[in-house]
Amino acid sequence: MGFLNQLKDKLAPAKDKVSGLAQQHGDKIDQGLHKAADVVDRRTKGKYSDKIQAGAGKAKDALDRLAGTDGGKGGGGGATPPGDAPPPSPPTPPSAS
């Protein structure tokens, strides 16, 4: 058995415990992520708002994957897959003025 396999075997109980904690306290962790993102966004005066929100979304996805919930969407990188996009709305007719 190789070194990495031994390491994985020894870390498996810790991963299970962390996964359980993520399931129990996922809502609190999510609130903390959003609160931290808001503080950083305010401190940078919105200059990096898109990057901060993207990072917070990826952290939430990672938390969901760790907890084993459906919110993680498998192995996504924070972007919405093309098949999950809502259909475009029909164009509105011009008003008769």
Side-chain angles (χ1 to χ4, degrees):
M1 184 180 267
F3 173 73
L4 290 177
N5 287 336
Q6 290 176 349
L7 185 61
K8 285 180 185 178
D9 288 344
K10 289 186 180 197
L11 290 177
K15 183 181 177 195
D16 292 340
K17 186 169 185 172
V18 169
S19 177
L21 289 171
Q23 287 176 347
Q24 285 179 331
H25 303 290
D27 55 340
K28 292 178 186 176
I29 297 169
D30 188 40
Q31 289 174 357
L33 283 171
H34 287 296
K35 191 174 185 179
D38 288 342
V39 168
V40 173
D41 196 29
R42 276 196 312 267
R43 294 255 174 122
T44 59
K45 298 178 182 164
K47 186 175 180 180
Y48 304 103
S49 186
D50 55 336
K51 290 178 174 47
I52 292 167
Q53 295 305 319
K58 288 181 182 181
K60 172 75 170 111
D61 288 346
L63 174 66
D64 289 340
R65 280 194 311 274
L66 184 62
T69 60
D70 291 340
K73 297 178 187 128
T80 304
D84 290 349
S89 58
T92 54
S95 61
S97 302

